[in-house]
Amino acid sequence: MGTSLVKGQNGPLAVSNVVVSVRSAAAVDVSALLVNDAGRVRTDADFVFFNQPCAPGVELRSEMPAALVVSMAEVAAEIARIRVVITLDDVTATFGQFAPPVASVADGSGNTLYEYVIDGLDTESVVIALELYRRYSDWKIRAVGQGYAGGFAALVTDHGVSVDDEPAPIRSTAVAPEGFPAPPAPVAPPTPTATAPEVRTVPGEAALSFEKRATLDLRKREVAKVLITKNAFGIRARVVLVIDKTLSMSRQYSKQVVHRVVQRMIPVATQLDEDGTLEAYLYALSFVKLPDITVEHGDAWAQTFLHLTGIHQGIDYARIGGRNDELPIMRDIIASLRPGDTPTLVLFFTDGGFAKKREITALMRDASRLPAFWQFVGLGRANYGLLRTLDEMSDRVVDNAGFFALDDIDQVDDAQLYARLLGEFPDWLRAATRAGIIG
């Protein structure tokens, strides 16, 4: 018996070959979308289904239950995720009419590694069941369970697959399980009207109180709206949070403004980062890398680590300093970047005072060759100087930085905040893709 997954949960894949299968009371088709970091197929050849059962590293087998055999070492390096899709043969039916389907992941010897009971389905007829994805050099799996209201054609089109204006019927070689009626005659999929992509749920949300879950859900939806509007919904990116710890930030700490910043950045990570976590740093003259921020421990994290002085969890905050030097923290983040890596979104909160303007300008020009977008956010009423000119810098491969000021973050609602925070990131993604900085 393998590990049972719940929606949003992920786990490691320590084997090189896996078999993904789906058991269902209804006759279903299984297919796979092999997508890059932007959530798009490179060509239609990255779509594995009954009429195109093979792609490098992925093979569809039509026995019951239908199964996908994945050899991770053979998957192209540009492929960041393999999305496993299940589709009801009867396009008039919905998954809510049947017992929940069960997705299983086994190793090459047939040992079950994971099982995911895809419960909570209602009107869906097409569902992204699981996602196999790269995390640096390793592979992991996530239970997705996301339905597509627009149907099969909408799903594959949203992932970049070309669909004919009058597509051929989707046929199945599967037979109905014993005890269930045979599948009906093939029917062409309906023309999609609109998609209703769901916001991501990540592990730990269930541990929150009802009120905090409600707030988080509203904020996630606002993040998703921005990404949908910018045609960037479904992208994955590493999210890094940098917070100024200089003494000029005393008011922002004493009034717990920075605590609220953390809470409002967590929903961004849930929709972008593979694991839904925020990498976190505090900086002044030097910097400290703190434990990642997770959904369930956001409040505790803020109370534990957001300080200007003292010793907390073995960290001497006095040694970080009381005035600012951005170069060490920026260089550390830059050192973690490699061309072709997963995109990185750096959320850099500061009250300004960047003194080493020439060095920072040169650093940002060099960093424009790397897969990171730097979103600087000014906190408080300050003179931000250099930060206001970042969008106008010349001699960069792509525009890799943005800035806006928040005189009072508590006076800015979530829709406005996320629109400003994420407004330039999708544009950078497209420019960086065209420049070959990201795949």
Side-chain angles (χ1 to χ4, degrees), residues 276-397:
T277 60
L278 275 168
E279 294 183 39
Y281 293 83
L282 289 183
Y283 89 96
L285 275 173
S286 63
F287 66 90
V288 61
K289 172 73 167 66
L290 298 172
D292 291 353
I293 306 171
T294 60
V295 167
E296 70 269 35
H297 298 132
D299 285 341
W301 186 97
Q303 295 299 327
T304 301
F305 294 108
L306 291 180
H307 305 281
L308 294 176
T309 59
I311 297 176
H312 308 276
Q313 296 295 304
I315 302 169
D316 186 348
Y317 279 56
R319 295 187 63 140
I320 305 173
R323 55 188 178 86
N324 60 317
D325 183 353
E326 287 72 27
L327 290 173
I329 175 59
M330 293 177 72
R331 285 172 176 153
D332 189 77
I333 293 172
I334 288 171
S336 71
L337 304 172
R338 297 289 184 275
D341 278 357
T342 298
T344 293
L345 172 61
V346 182
L347 305 173
F348 202 114
F349 286 82
T350 176
D351 67 349
F354 284 30
K356 298 181 179 179
K357 298 180 181 179
R358 184 177 63 183
E359 294 92 333
I360 291 173
T361 299
L363 193 65
M364 290 304 297
R365 286 195 177 104
D366 290 342
S368 69
R369 300 180 177 87
L370 297 171
F373 182 79
W374 302 71
Q375 181 61 63
F376 294 94
V377 183
L379 284 179
R381 295 171 174 84
N383 179 12
Y384 298 111
L386 170 67
L387 293 177
R388 296 191 182 277
T389 67
L390 287 175
D391 277 339
E392 303 166 6
M393 285 173 52
S394 59
D395 300 326
R396 287 179 292 172
V397 178

